[in-house]
Amino acid sequence: MFSSFSHKSFKEGLRMKKKSKKRFSEEKLYDVSLRLSKDDRDMLGLRFPVKIFVQDPFVARQHEEEGVLGLEEIQLDWEPGVDDGPTNSRIAIVDYNINTGIIAKPVQWNRQTKQFVGADDPRSFQFHQVNVWAIIQNILAFFEDPRVMGRPIPWGFDGNRLIVLPHASIEKNAYYSRKSKCLQFCFFIHEGEPVYTCLSHDIIAHETGHAILDGIRPYYFELSSIQTAGFHEFIADLTAILSALSTTQVRHAIADVSQGDIWNSQVISDLGEEFAEKDSKKRYESAQRYYLRTAQNEKKMKEIENEVIPHNCSEVLTGAMFKILAHMTTCLMKKGHTPKSALWNASTHLNRMAFRALDYCPPVDIQFVDYVQAVIRADEQTYPMDRHEYRKIVKEVFESRGIEEIYPKKPPKSVELTWKYDISSIANSRTAAYHFLNDNREALDIPLHQDFQITDLYYTDKVAGANESLPREIILEYVWKEDVLLKGKVFGQLENKKIALLCGGTLVFDERGNILHWSKKGGTQTGEAESEGKQRKTELLAFVKRLLEADLIGWIDAEACNTLTALQPPITGYQDGNVLKFEITPQFLNPSKELGE
Amino acid sequence: MTVEEQLLVRTYKVGCGDCIFVRIPDKDRLFHLLIDCGNFFGEKTAELKQALKNIEELLNDEKLVPKKQRGHLNLLVATHQHWDHIKGFEILSKSFKKIKIDRIWLSVGMKKDHPQGKQLRALQNRVEETIQKFSRDPDFRLDPGLLSLLSMMSLSNKDATEALTDNIPSKNSIEPFYVYRGFEEDLSAAKEREAKLDFKETTTKLSVLAPEKEIDKSYVSFASGFLGKLEDAEKSMRELVPEDQRTCVPKNISMRQFRELKISLRDASLIAALQSNHIVNNTSVVLLLEWRGRRLLFTGDAEEESWNLMWKNAHSEINEPVDFLKVSHHGSRNGTPFDPDQTDNDILDSILPVKNANVAKAVVSTKVDVIHAEANPVPFPKLLKELAKRVCNTEEYPVERGKQPQRTDKIEENWIDIAIKPKN
């Protein structure tokens, strides 16, 4: 008995020792994994493969004659927290269905083999769980990559894990809900067969784009202008486009058919059919790649002057970015790249250029011109030489869309601060950052009486090209609100209520304390910003009037829960006492259309 | 002209709900009609009590009402089963002893065993189950406004329904008639005599233009399709995830987090509930009162489907201008056949042509401080603006959303009176 116990104990000890050694080495490697290239991480077992659908299998079945894009293996970074569900540090899949109360068993994670178990059959719920998790995690990792934003991205809610419900409810839609801290993917039955939105790469990427932007710039949820709402849709669509292009099958299919001329190619419009299709099935199919089709547009700023639908407004930016991609691809082709190589390089560069700019955007009330300025300024920091002259393409395309003044009015050097500051103190403490802003209110157009908030303070560690380290950026965001009275009969029952004019700024410093970029939204009560602030106030009031006239606002009690958001309008108004707030409602399809089918 | 020579429509200000009293001069007597009595926030009953008290006074007015007739309400009509139209009848049955009811007309949609209303009942049961399911869940909180909406639609509003189907009829020794377009034709001779409204003036006529008898076929087909799809999907979910593939609680988030998640999630069942709301509205009794050359249309909460069927099945009645319109469904977008983007609105142009704007009158009972839906705002401001062009009894409706009409001398503290003179 003793001997047996001793033997078992010895074996157990040996196993534990081996395990701890393995863990020790994994931990050590994990510590340095960010400094390793993808290939090195692959070789050292710090990445693991998962299979995802690059095209919704339902849509693929309907268009079999056009060629089916199916499963593709992608590599994801390993982290110690990967577990059943799947679950990791940032995402938890909870397969709960509200209609039936059923919770499907979570997929199991094998720590030894670094594989999910029992997720091979694409029809299984466990495969669905892995598919949706892997696509979201892949997109999040892309945004956090040093070549893009070079920093961890928080979610737009209290908490660090986004909950994802792959089979949330039975409807033809998908949602991002900040309030529920989750992404909800629904399913429906078509001719007796279930159709799952959690298998649609496009839908997942679009909703993930909303969730990620909400983490990067949470105040964009609060509407102050149609361009801000349009910007949310633009980022969601761009995430979906670029995520689709990051999959080999989609990219190769487009490159093969277009031979590099993607702007004039039918392949893009073939990916989406008429959105206004009466048949709900077709509408569902076409909606998935609708953004790709509408990206091929020539829409200009003038056409959206009185626009109230966020997605229609976003098409100016989406169209411009797609044109930039087309020009970049052509430019590379002229330099001898094959269509596949040109599209890969162009889409990768645009991907980084488009999203890296988000750190340079104002914290509130973004206008399209702010974004364009941010794209140019961020790219100047990353690629000062611009050897492919991509910035020239960007400038020309945006100017052709009617987005003027694409360079910031005030070059950073002219921000003359009254009081000196120590950038290392600012970078390390919100209080120090507050003191810095407070001391320099006049130069930064912050009214003396406004108690502003530091809404974010972080640094980035970005790289350019082949892992060339860039100077660290310190980014400081501050926000305040001014009450604007809705005065006059034109506001109907909202007369004499108040709405907030969101004001603030983003300051980007380098590690020596130089200001690289300043994107600000002035108020009505400060010196130099006065005229800008007053203009913004006028525009805000006009925007509220347009929303009222268009009947686009639905009202929800400020304290109420979100239960019937399925019936929410594109814009929801919250009324808390005498103060109003408008928020966007990110969802894939307009539910009122669905109800009428 | 004395008061009793004019027809009076008194619309009580009960909040967002209907309570309409009509006094019809009929030779040497007055015929009294009450259409609905309810309000949206059913728990606030003070306004309803006040309205009923005034009705009691009107029915017992010694100066106007002959002694033999005093206290008699000749006809009580409940247009449909929503709280904002029937809640007050519960109070009526309990507290107002001096009101004697001669006849009751209820929408056929309220008849429990109506053979052509099975699908509607299935849908209503679904609503009931949903509400019960959530009321059992201590974690579940619902937007108070939506809760009111669901409660209003709920069959658990039994007291008011029982007051109409049982208590009031038994106290008055009568039986309610479940009415629909052409219901008189289906009655036995004895019942027809009982149902017949004994107007002394032969030209006075009260016709039921809606609902249709075949409720399921006429109004439910879409919703039952929706419900069917939902049930199919739920069945599929159960089949796709057999018992051994399920778990009781998620292990990767805390119980607290899971509770919070559950309460914040949407439920398609609630969407089904809102669908049933539209169907019940469409089962509203729509009455056309013809009196001394005047035509008055009382529409309950009839929505688009009901209007279209009336246009088809009661065309001759609808295809003629009315002198008074009770605006349907609290002035919602789908309560009146009006599309602001169309130049021709056939039905509205027929019943309220712009050329009759100097004589036609209208009333809408609505609530201005709540706008409860994006697709169907209540009230729909463009509709109010349009109606203002077609009727003479309004001061000024602002173009903007939801602004309260100006007070005028015609608007009393607790009601709005509209007097209709004979045409000739």
Side-chain angles (χ1 to χ4, degrees):
Chain A
M1 198 64 184
F2 180 75
S3 150
S4 160
F5 175 75
S6 167
H7 179 66
K8 193 178 173 186
S9 154
F10 174 73
K11 275 177 83 176
E12 182 72 9
L14 199 62
R15 198 175 66 79
M16 291 296 287
K17 204 172 170 184
K18 275 183 186 168
K19 197 176 166 187
S20 71
K21 247 188 180 176
K22 188 170 192 283
R23 176 150 296 180
F24 177 76
S25 65
E26 273 174 352
E27 280 170 6
K28 277 289 166 200
L29 286 170
Y30 179 66
D31 279 351
V32 297
S33 62
L34 281 177
R35 288 173 222 158
L36 300 173
S37 70
K38 277 187 180 174
D39 289 344
D40 291 341
R41 296 208 295 276
D42 282 342
M43 199 177 66
L44 291 166
L46 287 167
R47 280 155 66 85
F48 61 95
V50 282
K51 281 186 179 162
I52 58 160
F53 273 115
V54 297
Q55 186 185 20
D56 182 344
F58 170 73
V59 177
R61 276 202 304 276
Q62 311 299 317
H63 299 272
E64 265 174 327
E65 71 284 359
E66 293 160 25
V68 173
L69 304 179
L71 289 166
E72 185 164 311
E73 190 173 278
I74 59 167
Q75 297 287 329
L76 292 175
D77 284 324
W78 174 84
E79 57 175 289
V82 180
D83 211 339
D84 303 346
T87 311
N88 69 340
S89 56
R90 308 302 310 284
I91 302 160
I93 305 292
V94 176
D95 208 347
Y96 171 68
N97 174 266
I98 180 87
N99 302 90
T100 55
I102 290 172
I103 307 170
K105 269 188 181 170
V107 69
Q108 302 295 303
W109 171 249
N110 185 322
R111 284 172 180 271
Q112 269 67 46
T113 60
K114 291 201 181 82
Q115 297 260 324
F116 287 110
V117 182
D120 299 328
D121 181 357
R123 288 167 303 180
S124 73
F125 274 36
Q126 285 67 35
F127 176 88
H128 300 177
Q129 294 158 4
V130 174
N131 183 72
V132 70
W133 173 80
I135 292 171
I136 298 168
Q137 177 56 36
N138 198 35
I139 293 170
L140 179 64
F142 163 77
F143 271 84
E144 293 182 335
D145 190 282
R147 282 164 294 193
V148 186
M149 301 197 73
R151 66 177 177 104
I153 292 167
W155 297 120
F157 45 79
D158 289 338
N160 291 301
R161 267 195 196 142
L162 176 74
I163 298 171
V164 179
L165 290 89
H167 308 95
S169 68
I170 300 162
E171 38 178 326
K172 229 175 267 165
N173 218 335
Y175 308 87
Y176 164 61
S177 166
R178 180 200 276 182
K179 207 165 210 168
S180 315
K181 306 176 182 183
C182 70
L183 286 175
Q184 296 171 42
F185 297 95
C186 311
F187 76 100
F188 59 96
I189 305 294
H190 176 73
E191 291 176 357
E193 289 295 314
V195 180
Y196 304 103
T197 60
C198 70
L199 294 183
S200 163
H201 187 281
D202 306 299
I203 295 177
I204 298 167
H206 179 97
E207 293 307 317
T208 306
H210 277 301
I212 287 177
L213 181 61
D214 193 32
I216 295 169
R217 288 291 181 274
Y219 281 90
Y220 292 178
F221 228 62
E222 197 172 325
L223 277 199
S224 42
S225 74
I226 191 64
Q227 287 194 30
T228 311
F231 188 73
H232 235 285
E233 286 302 325
F234 157 68
I235 290 295
D237 277 356
L238 194 67
T239 306
I241 292 173
L242 295 175
S243 182
L245 287 172
S246 76
T247 64
T248 313
Q249 290 185 47
V250 172
R251 200 174 55 250
H252 284 189
I254 292 175
D256 285 344
V257 176
S258 70
Q259 282 304 300
D261 184 8
I262 58 168
W263 184 257
N264 294 310
S265 171
Q266 275 295 309
V267 68
I268 299 299
S269 43
D270 286 349
L271 286 170
E273 291 167 24
E274 182 54 55
F275 185 64
E277 181 62 62
K278 280 180 186 165
D279 181 276
S280 68
K281 174 180 77 71
K282 285 190 178 169
R283 195 166 65 235
Y284 172 79
E285 290 167 31
S286 59
Q288 293 195 41
R289 290 251 161 97
Y290 174 63
Y291 51 80
L292 266 177
R293 193 174 63 80
T294 54
Q296 221 169 1
N297 76 69
E298 295 280 6
K299 212 168 193 174
K300 293 184 171 56
M301 290 299 283
K302 267 197 171 174
E303 293 166 57
I304 60 160
E305 269 171 9
N306 296 310
E307 186 55 72
V308 286
I309 305 292
H311 194 269
N312 293 350
C313 191
S314 73
E315 286 172 12
V316 175
L317 281 186
T318 317
M321 289 309 255
F322 194 69
K323 192 146 214 173
I324 292 167
L325 176 69
H327 283 326
M328 285 176 167
T329 310
T330 312
C331 170
L332 289 168
M333 295 266 294
K334 282 179 186 164
K335 290 179 181 175
H337 284 259
T338 62
K340 279 177 189 162
S341 159
L343 189 57
W344 162 247
N345 282 288
S347 61
T348 307
H349 189 91
L350 185 69
N351 229 338
R352 295 168 189 173
M353 182 190 242
F355 297 126
R356 200 187 291 123
L358 293 174
D359 277 337
Y360 283 58
C361 290
V364 295
D365 192 28
I366 189 167
Q367 303 299 295
F368 292 175
V369 68
D370 300 319
Y371 173 69
V372 180
Q373 288 176 358
V375 168
I376 289 171
R377 186 69 84 212
D379 198 64
E380 280 171 356
Q381 304 308 320
T382 317
Y383 299 104
M385 303 303 288
D386 192 22
R387 71 190 163 92
H388 293 296
E389 296 192 315
Y390 286 152
R391 282 200 291 282
K392 195 177 158 205
I393 295 175
V394 169
K395 187 175 172 255
E396 282 169 4
V397 169
F398 280 116
E399 277 178 349
S400 74
R401 300 273 167 161
I403 301 174
E404 292 165 353
E405 297 174 13
I406 61 170
Y407 284 97
K409 281 179 194 167
K410 242 185 206 180
K413 276 179 192 168
S414 74
V415 183
E416 290 171 10
L417 300 174
T418 318
W419 301 94
K420 299 294 172 200
Y421 54 93
D422 171 16
I423 189 62
S424 58
S425 305
I426 293 174
N428 289 323
S429 153
R430 284 188 176 225
T431 312
Y434 169 77
H435 280 294
F436 155 72
L437 292 171
N438 189 50
D439 291 344
N440 291 288
R441 277 178 185 262
E442 200 175 338
L444 295 169
D445 292 334
I446 304 171
L448 282 173
H449 64 279
Q450 282 292 352
D451 187 18
F452 61 87
Q453 266 186 294
I454 307 288
T455 49
D456 219 338
L457 175 65
Y458 54 89
Y459 63 82
T460 67
D461 280 321
K462 293 173 181 165
V463 298
N467 282 347
E468 298 153 19
S469 288
L470 293 169
R472 175 172 280 187
E473 295 164 331
I474 292 104
I475 294 160
L476 170 60
E477 291 168 30
Y478 55 96
V479 169
W480 77 90
K481 293 181 181 183
E482 286 183 13
D483 281 343
V484 174
L485 188 67
L486 301 179
K487 207 173 164 184
K489 287 187 177 178
V490 288
F491 293 105
Q493 73 169 93
L494 303 184
E495 189 181 355
N496 293 328
K497 297 203 181 292
K498 290 172 184 165
I499 184 165
L501 178 72
L502 298 168
C503 313
T506 300
L507 279 162
V508 183
F509 302 89
D510 69 13
E511 53 197 340
R512 292 183 154 200
N514 299 307
I515 295 176
L516 303 176
H517 187 67
W518 180 32
S519 184
K520 72 177 168 66
K521 294 284 146 181
T524 59
Q525 301 142 332
T526 42
E528 235 181 289
E530 194 173 344
S531 58
E532 181 215 339
K534 281 188 178 161
Q535 176 69 21
R536 292 182 56 234
K537 182 180 163 183
T538 309
E539 283 166 7
L540 176 66
L541 291 171
F543 174 56
V544 175
K545 273 182 222 165
R546 283 210 304 278
L547 289 180
L548 287 171
E549 279 163 11
D551 276 332
L552 275 175
I553 310 173
W555 296 91
I556 298 236
D557 189 285
E559 298 302 315
C561 76
N562 220 9
T563 312
L564 277 181
T565 43
L567 296 174
Q568 276 186 13
I571 296 161
T572 305
Y574 292 86
Q575 197 164 333
D576 194 357
N578 212 28
V579 181
L580 307 172
K581 195 163 90 171
F582 302 119
E583 283 187 359
I584 57 168
T585 317
Q587 53 191 305
F588 194 70
L589 284 177
N590 181 346
S592 57
K593 286 180 186 164
E594 288 307 299
L595 290 174
E597 71 183 47
Chain B
M1 188 172 286
T2 59
V3 172
E4 64 271 27
E5 285 173 319
Q6 294 182 26
L7 184 147
L8 171 74
V9 180
R10 177 164 288 184
T11 306
Y12 290 93
K13 292 165 77 175
V14 288
C16 190
D18 275 9
C19 181
I20 301 164
F21 180 78
V22 189
R23 190 170 62 198
I24 309 165
D26 186 33
K27 272 199 172 168
D28 56 347
R29 65 157 191 172
L30 296 166
F31 185 98
H32 293 122
L33 163 66
L34 175 62
I35 304 169
D36 288 339
C37 185
N39 66 6
F40 187 78
F41 295 100
E43 70 279 10
K44 292 177 187 168
T45 53
E47 295 94 338
L48 295 175
K49 277 184 187 161
Q50 213 163 21
L52 287 166
K53 192 164 174 284
N54 182 258
I55 291 167
E56 194 175 53
E57 285 165 10
L58 287 174
L59 293 176
N60 290 284
D61 187 334
E62 290 181 12
K63 287 180 191 163
L64 285 176
V65 186
K67 196 174 179 184
K68 220 173 118 184
Q69 261 194 286
R70 271 179 216 153
H72 277 264
L73 181 64
N74 301 73
L75 176 63
L76 180 159
V77 180
T79 59
H80 63 294
Q81 205 177 346
H82 280 161
W83 201 339
D84 55 337
H85 290 257
I86 63 168
K87 185 66 184 170
F89 293 124
E90 187 188 330
I91 304 164
L92 174 72
S93 77
K94 285 178 188 162
S95 312
F96 289 84
K97 314 282 181 208
K98 287 187 193 168
I99 300 177
K100 165 102 179 83
I101 319 283
D102 293 346
R103 280 175 201 82
I104 298 175
W105 284 6
L106 306 178
S107 165
V108 72
M110 293 170 75
K111 193 176 183 186
K112 285 176 195 163
D113 57 353
H114 182 50
Q116 278 106 29
K118 285 177 186 166
Q119 289 182 35
L120 173 64
R121 280 194 299 284
L123 196 64
Q124 286 178 314
N125 289 336
R126 176 75 187 222
V127 176
E128 189 68 8
E129 279 169 24
T130 305
I131 294 166
Q132 291 297 325
K133 183 172 90 178
F134 288 130
S135 62
R136 281 195 302 271
D137 187 342
D139 294 327
F140 188 77
R141 298 187 305 268
L142 199 61
D143 177 319
L146 291 169
L147 191 60
S148 303
L149 190 64
L150 288 173
S151 305
M152 183 188 79
M153 298 184 298
S154 167
L155 293 179
S156 62
N157 181 22
K158 277 180 187 157
D159 292 346
T161 311
E162 277 175 15
L164 285 164
T165 55
D166 300 321
N167 302 348
I168 296 175
S170 71
K171 275 183 189 167
N172 292 280
S173 310
I174 52 173
E175 273 185 35
F177 287 92
Y178 292 96
V179 302
Y180 46 88
R181 188 180 62 82
F183 79 100
E184 300 94 335
E185 291 162 19
D186 293 343
L187 295 173
S188 64
K191 282 281 176 194
E192 197 182 348
R193 272 197 304 279
E194 206 182 304
K196 197 176 177 189
L197 301 174
D198 47 352
F199 287 116
K200 290 188 177 180
E201 292 182 23
T202 51
T203 54
T204 303
K205 197 176 162 192
L206 188 67
S207 317
V208 177
L209 307 188
E212 293 293 314
K213 183 180 179 180
E214 293 175 317
I215 288 174
D216 287 343
K217 190 179 149 195
S218 306
Y219 311 112
V220 190
S221 53
F222 154 65
S224 67
F226 176 84
L227 190 63
K229 278 184 194 171
L230 191 63
E231 281 169 353
D232 285 351
E234 285 177 5
K235 195 175 155 219
S236 299
M237 182 74 194
R238 291 191 180 93
E239 285 167 6
L240 289 162
V241 190
E243 295 279 354
D244 64 341
Q245 287 298 308
R246 299 178 197 174
T247 182
C248 300
V249 285
K251 302 239 169 68
N252 53 352
I253 58 172
S254 69
M255 281 312 292
R256 186 185 163 187
Q257 209 177 358
F258 185 50
R259 269 200 306 275
E260 282 174 359
L261 179 71
K262 277 204 295 183
I263 62 174
S264 64
L265 288 174
R266 71 200 75 245
D267 186 342
S269 305
L270 292 173
I271 300 174
L274 292 187
Q275 289 307 310
S276 90
N277 181 32
H278 296 302
I279 296 160
V280 173
N281 282 340
N282 276 320
T283 63
S284 285
V285 176
V286 176
L287 296 170
L288 176 69
L289 173 62
E290 291 164 279
W291 173 81
R292 297 183 190 173
R294 298 292 182 191
R295 288 160 45 83
L296 295 85
L297 193 59
F298 299 91
T299 55
D301 276 357
E303 293 190 14
E304 200 180 348
E305 290 79 2
S306 179
W307 280 105
N308 289 337
L309 283 172
M310 284 190 279
W311 187 243
K312 188 178 156 199
N313 300 331
H315 190 73
S316 58
E317 287 92 338
I318 290 289
N319 192 22
E320 213 179 308
V322 298
D323 300 283
F324 170 85
L325 174 71
K326 197 294 287 187
V327 179
S328 178
H329 197 217
H330 318 289
S332 75
R333 186 193 282 264
N334 56 10
T336 300
F338 166 66
D339 181 347
D341 299 326
Q342 298 286 328
T343 46
D344 295 324
N345 283 283
D346 291 350
I347 306 178
L348 188 62
D349 291 341
S350 294
I351 56 171
L352 280 184
V354 178
K355 65 176 175 147
N356 275 21
N358 58 336
V359 289
K361 295 176 179 178
V363 68
V364 54
S365 169
T366 187
K367 193 168 172 64
V368 293
D369 57 345
V370 170
I371 305 165
H372 78 66
E374 81 291 351
N376 189 22
V378 178
F380 179 36
K382 287 178 184 167
L383 171 66
L384 296 190
K385 187 185 163 195
E386 183 65 25
L387 291 174
K389 289 185 209 160
R390 294 168 185 259
V391 296
C392 63
N393 65 320
T394 181
E395 295 291 317
E396 179 191 350
Y397 284 115
V399 180
E400 297 72 34
R401 173 193 286 268
K403 189 76 178 173
Q404 183 122 31
Q406 306 253 322
R407 275 284 292 274
T408 71
D409 293 342
K410 293 171 196 163
I411 301 177
E412 305 291 337
E413 190 59 35
N414 297 316
W415 57 76
I416 296 170
D417 276 351
I418 291 177
I420 309 282
K421 293 174 188 169
K423 194 168 185 180
N424 304 313

